[in-house]
Amino acid sequence: QLQLVESGGGLVRPGGSLRLSCAASGVTLRYYDIGWFRQAPGKDREGVSCISPTGGDINYADSVRFRFTTDRDNNKNMGYLEMNNLKPEDTAVYYCAIQDRRRCPRWGLLSNEYDYWGQGIQVTVSS
């Protein structure tokens, strides 16, 4: 059974950092792009990042560029999102998702391009 499980979220002060992990089971991540998305209450789901199977293609939303870094470890079957200099507006439920196009152009930040989703994890940035 395919599952994606996010971890590493929680409460952090503005300016702090968190590292989110996406652990996959029932699927071999090396064949998939990994996307990260977020959704704040009352707002639309927003694409955050996409990384291709070998890391050759990476895209970020403008809102997180230079602050967030996505990475992956195919040997561990995991994806990561390093979140630095966090701001209150980053508060949201964060999701990892995968799709098998094996490329991450701009449409890699579109939720309807993805086939499988984790259940999400809360990130709260507050003083």
Side-chain angles (χ1 to χ4, degrees), residues 5-75:
V5 180
E6 302 91 343
S7 62
L11 176 65
V12 65
R13 293 184 179 275
S17 298
L18 288 173
R19 184 174 177 85
L20 303 183
S21 298
C22 177
S25 61
V27 63
T28 302
L29 277 188
R30 69 173 70 249
Y31 303 118
Y32 292 85
D33 305 309
I34 303 172
W36 288 92
F37 296 81
R38 64 186 183 185
Q39 189 164 23
K43 296 185 177 181
D44 293 333
R45 186 167 46 191
E46 176 188 16
V48 174
S49 68
C50 177
I51 181 169
S52 63
T54 63
D57 287 342
I58 299 176
N59 270 299
Y60 297 100
D62 290 342
S63 58
V64 307
R65 194 182 306 275
F66 310 126
R67 296 190 297 122
F68 292 10
T69 301
T70 189
D71 200 1
R72 62 192 299 157
D73 188 335
N74 290 334
N75 290 329

Side-chain angles (χ1 to χ4, degrees), residues 76-90:
K76 296 181 179 179
N77 219 33
M78 297 186 70
Y80 304 97
L81 184 69
E82 180 74 30
M83 309 164 67
N84 300 306
N85 192 23
L86 283 160
K87 305 177 184 299
E89 52 264 42
D90 295 317

